[in-house]
Amino acid sequence: MSIYDTLNPEQKQAVFHDKGPLLILAGAGSGKTRVLTHRIAYLIEERQVNPWNILAITFTNKAAREMRERVDKLVGYGSEDIWVSTFHSTCVRILRRFIETLGYGRSFTIYDTDDQKTLMREVCKYLNIDTKRTNERAILSAISKAKDELIGPEEFARQAGGDYNQTRYAEAYTEYQKRLKASNALDFDDLIFKTVELFQTNAEALRYFQNRFRYIMVDEYQDTNTAQFHLIHLLASGVDEDGAKNFNLCVVGDDDQSIYKFRGANIHNILNFEKTFPSAKVIKLEQNYRSTKSILNTANEVICNNQGRKEKSLWTDNEEGEPVHFTQFETDFDEADGITSEIKRSVENGEANYSDFAILYRTNAQSRQFEEKLILKNIPYKIIGGTNFYSRKEIKDVLAYLKTIENGLDSIAVKRIINVPRRGIGLTTIDRVNDYALQNDISFYDALTRAEHIPGLQRSVTKIMSFVSLIEGLKSRINLETYSLKDLVDDILDATGYVRELEAEDTEESKDRIANIDELINKIVTYEETAEEEPTLSGFLEEIALVSDIDNLTEDSEYVVLMTLHSAKGLEFPYVYLCGMEEGVFPGYMSIMAENPLEEIEEERRLCYVGITRAMKRLSLSAAKQRMLRGETQYNRPSRFINEIPRYLLKMTLPTHRRGQMNRTVSTLDFDQPFTERSYKQPQISNKPYVLPKAKQFAGKQMGTLSYEVGDTVKHIKFGLGTVLDITMGGKDYEVTVEFPNYGVKKLLSTFANLIRID
């Protein structure tokens, strides 16, 4: 039997398409990885494509590893020549070969978020930017967005015009890039930005990789930003033997799962694929292999309310399954208690294991109540998206030594460890060395080697030169054939006495830190044993720099997983709890009150769709009547997304409290009771049962009338007085355009704006 006989008709069609641009619209759980890997095998086996000529790109190391394993199994001999990696890893490999043409060294360092913040603090100090008024995170965010759009410092400054804040951002951007280059370092956005710059300025490099990658496949295409789009477009624009552009580009994605707009993802890359590539073939994968019919029907009913999407609908041959559960609790405290109690009962009754459960929420702040309840009930759990292993102090300290040895130009790394462990080198000394480095246009480490020539350092010269001698001695050993990376770390720990100091503390915290260092050594040994190419210090630093939180999820571990909906994308669990389904929480108040609420709400709805489709067997949705937010009790109605689910798909229950204990008798929520608009804050809890609203009827049926019209003066709780400029029907609500003297023109949804007409 052929390996292709296991594919469904649409999957086969996608696999057998071997020429020209191809868009595969792959719904959640539709087997897209299976299609990509089988397509690679088909190209090699049936179309005699050289494995060397195939590039497969995805977004996470976890997805790349899974794809690599499947490709190796299907293709066998020769599969090692196929590039299967993330966007960032692909760009690092390209830059390691050609980055010298951009004025960087091949041993460049990759700065993580903490490194970026440290560097930006130095930049702000140098430029006299008051970080109390202009947060360095805001500046880094603006720079990141600019790089996503391929806007460099000069163009950013031009676009700033006369705007004071933008001008200051531009100055910081320019100085930030200058210092990155001086440190021979790139941040994550630079990896894409500089690769595009390389291809746009170096025809030889572009031609080399166009000839190398004749067949390009991109997974999760809906998550690409503008820079990534240009990167792929440049690579795919090679010409064949006849001089014609081949565009053998296959992209796989689902516009309904585009949820990373805040990271720069541009949904129009996938929505406009056929406009960019007019000859593109489009194939829809709509058969789901993950979830029950009930879960999929729920997902379809929610997402169909979005207007900016390609038409498709998931279906499955799986069983009908139990209805989706919706429970409304009195408080967020009860919500956490009810869900964790249910998980414990299921495990104790032998119905499931802890690893079968995932608790998903909109924001990280919602995890606290669940953590407290899980600890109280002795339920093992893990938060995905917490403190990254490589962000812990002791790990960053050891890595800073490794970075300094590999790339002495990395000033951030050198400054981190110059007094770790303590050597008696104070901040005044560091500032004088830093000033000398800036005045002489040299790196901080080079300035250290000239310490005896720096005024005012007489007392510190011996200490500084001892540090320099340590680094130079370690550098001299790394080229020895018998000297491993583990040997290097052992020598660093021995020479610095780092572990001895922790042992002397003899506290639980110090023991944990030693255990973390031991785990880092385990990682180094594993890297040296499993590296695809010859293991190097540069390769190791590169690998850990590209690790994301989700890469640390071990699927067979026995614990309940807690994570945000954004982190859950790409994963699946038998039992999923989707919590905080309330207006003002999900969708969030910021989305509801945004300048373009319809667009923001559609992004939130896609996020809800992603959460729903993570569930395989059972999906439980929950809301709380009252929730503590920012220190105040909020009274929120259930999310509009709940109201978009037909009643026959939902099993709805309302647990009640008596004297602080859960009453096991539950009442069915009454959807047929009239719904009265409630504010987000109320002075007291009503004794009447809080009920969900009927679904509002639109599409030609009468909507509620507004108390104001175009030209009227209205009052908004946040923006104050304003004038109504326009009222239009937008989706399922009136969109009201109002001009506020102090806030400008805002587009608001009438249901949530609560505008009051002023006579």
Side-chain angles (χ1 to χ4, degrees):
M1 185 178 87
S2 167
I3 61 171
Y4 310 111
D5 291 341
T6 59
L7 304 173
N8 67 39
E10 291 74 25
Q11 289 175 333
K12 284 183 180 178
Q13 192 179 3
V15 167
F16 297 156
H17 179 89
D18 64 338
K19 288 289 184 183
L22 170 66
L23 169 60
I24 303 174
L25 289 173
S30 61
K32 62 184 178 64
T33 304
R34 183 181 183 83
V35 169
L36 283 174
T37 53
H38 279 67
R39 187 170 187 269
I40 291 172
Y42 175 79
L43 290 172
I44 294 171
E45 294 176 359
E46 305 297 332
R47 290 292 180 259
Q48 286 72 54
V49 174
N50 189 329
W52 173 271
N53 294 135
I54 297 175
L55 169 65
I57 302 180
T58 187
F59 273 82
T60 67
N61 293 317
K62 182 177 182 294
R65 279 197 304 268
E66 180 183 352
M67 192 180 299
R68 165 58 71 188
E69 290 169 2
R70 294 198 196 183
V71 167
D72 289 346
K73 188 174 180 180
L74 283 174
V75 175
Y77 179 76
S79 65
E80 65 275 5
D81 290 331
I82 304 168
W83 275 28
V84 181
S85 62
T86 64
F87 266 101
H88 291 104
S89 295
T90 298
C91 288
V92 168
R93 293 181 72 175
I94 292 171
L95 292 171
R96 292 285 184 210
R97 184 182 181 102
F98 284 102
I99 197 169
E100 288 174 328
T101 64
L102 297 178
Y104 291 78
R106 292 189 181 186
S107 60
F108 60 83
T109 298
I110 302 170
Y111 274 10
D112 63 17
T113 303
D114 288 337
D115 296 331
Q116 289 180 263
K117 290 176 184 174
T118 301
L119 178 58
M120 184 52 69
R121 279 195 292 270
E122 292 185 1
V123 168
C124 290
K125 182 179 179 181
Y126 177 74
L127 295 175
N128 293 318
I129 294 175
D130 184 357
T131 53
K132 292 181 180 179
R133 296 183 58 186
T134 307
N135 190 287
E136 59 260 26
R137 291 185 181 181
I139 302 174
L140 285 169
S141 176
I143 292 172
S144 178
K145 289 177 181 178
K147 289 181 180 179
D148 285 347
E149 296 298 322
L150 296 176
I151 298 172
E154 292 182 3
E155 177 61 25
F156 191 96
R158 279 195 293 270
Q159 293 184 10
D163 185 279
Y164 176 78
N165 285 332
Q166 291 300 309
T167 300
R168 294 297 273 164
Y169 282 12
E171 292 172 359
Y173 187 2
T174 301
E175 184 65 22
Y176 174 77
Q177 288 304 120
K178 177 184 176 182
R179 296 195 179 203
L180 275 176
K181 192 168 186 178
S183 294
N184 196 32
L186 303 177
D187 63 21
F188 273 91
D189 297 312
D190 278 330
L191 295 177
I192 311 293
F193 187 97
K194 292 298 179 183
T195 305
V196 174
E197 181 182 335
L198 171 69
F199 287 158
Q200 290 176 335
T201 58
N202 189 323
E204 177 190 352
L206 176 59
R207 189 161 50 249
Y208 172 84
F209 284 105
Q210 285 176 338
N211 291 333
R212 168 79 189 262
F213 301 126
R214 293 287 182 175
Y215 287 84
I216 300 172
M217 278 160 269
V218 183
D219 193 12
E220 304 289 4
Y221 188 68
Q222 77 281 346
D223 294 335
T224 55
N225 59 33
T226 300
Q228 289 162 338
F229 166 78
H230 281 281
L231 172 68
I232 294 302
H233 194 274
L234 284 165
L235 280 173
S237 299
V239 296
D240 56 26
E241 292 78 4
D242 300 326
K245 288 189 177 181
N246 50 54
F247 285 128
N248 289 327
L249 172 63
C250 167
V251 302
V252 184
D254 181 6
D255 52 300
D256 289 334
Q257 296 186 71
S258 179
I259 59 172
Y260 294 121
K261 180 183 176 184
F262 71 99
R263 292 183 188 168
N266 186 348
I267 192 175
H268 297 290
N269 289 347
I270 191 168
L271 293 178
N272 297 334
F273 187 81
E274 300 99 308
K275 293 181 181 178
T276 306
F277 304 98
S279 62
K281 184 173 183 61
V282 180
I283 298 172
K284 297 180 182 180
L285 304 182
E286 297 172 292
Q287 183 175 359
N288 176 283
Y289 295 91
R290 174 190 299 159
S291 308
T292 64
K293 287 185 174 70
S294 177
I295 292 170
L296 290 186
N297 289 337
T298 298
N300 287 331
E301 290 291 341
V302 171
I303 200 62
C304 73
N305 291 278
N306 272 7
Q307 298 175 7
R309 65 186 292 263
K310 291 179 178 289
E311 190 63 36
K312 54 190 168 303
S313 183
L314 294 177
W315 62 276
T316 185
D317 284 332
N318 293 342
E319 63 182 1
E320 185 70 30
E322 57 185 285
V324 172
H325 295 250
F326 174 72
T327 305
Q328 188 183 31
F329 295 88
E330 287 289 338
T331 67
D332 50 346
F333 180 91
D334 298 332
E335 180 184 44
D337 186 61
I339 288 172
T340 53
S341 295
E342 189 171 288
I343 291 173
K344 192 168 184 67
R345 282 198 306 273
S346 296
V347 174
E348 289 178 343
N349 294 338
E351 300 170 7
N353 299 315
Y354 285 126
S355 57
D356 294 330
F357 294 93
I359 299 174
L360 309 181
Y361 34 76
R362 179 63 182 85
T363 63
N364 276 311
Q366 292 171 254
S367 71
R368 182 184 64 83
Q369 297 276 21
F370 289 102
E371 287 189 77
E372 292 176 358
K373 293 299 179 183
L374 290 164
I375 292 171
L376 206 61
K377 294 177 171 61
N378 200 28
I379 297 174
Y381 71 95
K382 182 173 183 179
I383 295 181
I384 304 300
T387 302
N388 185 296
F389 175 79
Y390 297 107
S391 296
R392 293 166 182 168
K393 180 187 182 305
E394 60 276 10
I395 301 303
K396 287 189 72 68
D397 287 345
V398 176
L399 292 178
Y401 271 100
L402 294 176
K403 290 177 181 179
T404 299
I405 293 166
E406 170 66 15
N407 172 25
L409 297 175
D410 186 351
S411 297
I412 298 299
V414 180
K415 290 174 186 176
R416 182 180 183 91
I417 58 169
I418 190 172
N419 202 38
V420 176
R422 291 184 181 88
R423 297 184 175 90
I425 302 174
L427 291 176
T428 301
T429 298
I430 293 173
D431 286 342
R432 285 173 178 166
V433 175
N434 193 57
D435 290 341
Y436 182 85
L438 292 173
Q439 291 166 8
N440 291 274
D441 198 22
I442 59 176
S443 72
F444 184 82
Y445 184 78
D446 285 340
L448 290 176
T449 65
R450 306 181 191 180
E452 66 272 18
H453 303 298
I454 302 177
L457 294 191
Q458 288 77 9
R459 294 181 181 180
S460 303
V461 169
T462 302
K463 300 168 185 175
I464 291 174
M465 296 315 297
S466 175
F467 171 75
V468 170
S469 296
L470 169 64
I471 298 300
E472 292 301 315
L474 293 168
K475 278 184 179 181
S476 67
R477 301 178 195 178
I478 60 175
N479 294 323
L480 299 176
E481 288 186 15
T482 58
Y483 195 69
S484 68
L485 295 181
K486 180 182 180 299
D487 293 334
L488 175 60
V489 174
D490 286 342
D491 284 348
I492 290 171
L493 296 174
D494 182 58
T496 60
Y498 197 101
V499 172
R500 289 194 296 274
E501 280 197 5
L502 291 175
E503 288 172 341
E505 289 181 23
D506 194 27
T507 63
E508 286 302 315
E509 181 184 353
S510 66
K511 291 174 183 177
D512 286 342
R513 293 173 66 186
I514 293 171
N516 288 335
I517 293 173
D518 290 340
E519 183 58 32
L520 177 64
I521 294 173
N522 292 341
K523 168 64 180 177
I524 290 171
V525 172
T526 301
Y527 164 75
E528 291 188 299
E529 292 175 349
T530 61
E532 293 183 11
E533 301 176 355
E534 181 181 353
T536 62
L537 177 55
S538 175
F540 173 71
L541 292 172
E542 174 187 316
E543 181 171 307
I544 62 174
L546 300 176
V547 168
S548 65
D549 293 331
I550 199 65
D551 297 325
N552 297 320
L553 175 63
T554 306
E555 295 177 356
D556 58 355
S557 296
E558 189 56 22
Y559 47 67
V560 175
V561 171
L562 281 70
M563 65 176 78
T564 65
L565 286 156
H566 284 102
S567 296
K569 186 168 172 292
L571 303 177
E572 59 184 36
F573 302 91
Y575 307 104
V576 168
Y577 290 91
L578 185 46
C579 313
M581 298 292 292
E582 304 142 32
E583 290 291 299
V585 177
F586 189 33
Y589 184 76
M590 294 296 290
S591 297
I592 295 170
M593 303 307 297
E595 290 189 18
N596 189 349
L598 295 180
E599 184 178 309
E600 297 298 326
I601 293 297
E602 292 211 347
E603 175 101 353
E604 293 280 286
R605 187 175 286 111
R606 291 194 292 269
L607 193 56
C608 181
Y609 174 82
V610 165
I612 292 171
T613 53
R614 298 312 94 195
M616 301 165 68
K617 293 181 180 179
R618 186 172 73 208
L619 172 67
S620 300
L621 310 173
S622 61
K625 287 186 187 179
Q626 65 181 80
R627 180 180 299 274
M628 185 73 73
L629 292 173
R630 294 174 295 277
E632 297 181 3
T633 300
Q634 304 281 323
Y635 298 84
N636 301 324
R637 63 182 185 180
S639 169
R640 69 188 69 194
F641 304 143
I642 297 295
N643 205 43
E644 292 169 353
I645 304 171
R647 306 301 175 253
Y648 71 88
L649 290 174
L650 285 178
K651 180 180 179 181
M652 299 166 291
T653 53
L654 178 62
T656 58
H657 257 36
R658 289 182 180 174
R659 294 181 183 177
Q661 299 295 322
M662 180 72 74
N663 180 5
R664 299 306 173 192
T665 304
V666 295
S667 58
T668 303
L669 285 172
D670 185 359
F671 277 88
D672 295 325
Q673 294 297 318
F675 176 76
T676 304
E677 290 287 344
R678 301 167 65 115
S679 64
Y680 284 100
K681 297 181 183 179
Q682 293 196 8
Q684 59 185 15
I685 303 175
S686 171
N687 293 323
K688 297 180 181 179
Y690 188 75
V691 297
L692 286 166
K694 274 187 174 182
K696 286 188 175 124
Q697 301 297 312
F698 298 99
K701 296 186 179 181
Q702 185 175 4
M703 287 175 55
T705 58
L706 299 177
S707 62
Y708 48 83
E709 58 188 30
V710 174
D712 284 347
T713 298
V714 293
K715 183 178 181 180
H716 185 272
I717 190 171
K718 175 182 178 182
F719 304 128
L721 297 179
T723 303
V724 178
L725 302 181
D726 189 28
I727 301 175
T728 59
M729 178 58 199
K732 296 193 170 183
D733 200 354
Y734 288 117
E735 183 181 274
V736 185
T737 303
V738 184
E739 183 176 15
F740 297 97
N742 295 328
Y743 293 91
V745 176
K746 304 285 183 183
K747 291 186 177 181
L748 310 170
L749 295 178
S750 64
T751 306
F752 303 99
N754 291 323
L755 296 171
I756 301 173
R757 180 183 172 186
I758 304 298
D759 294 324

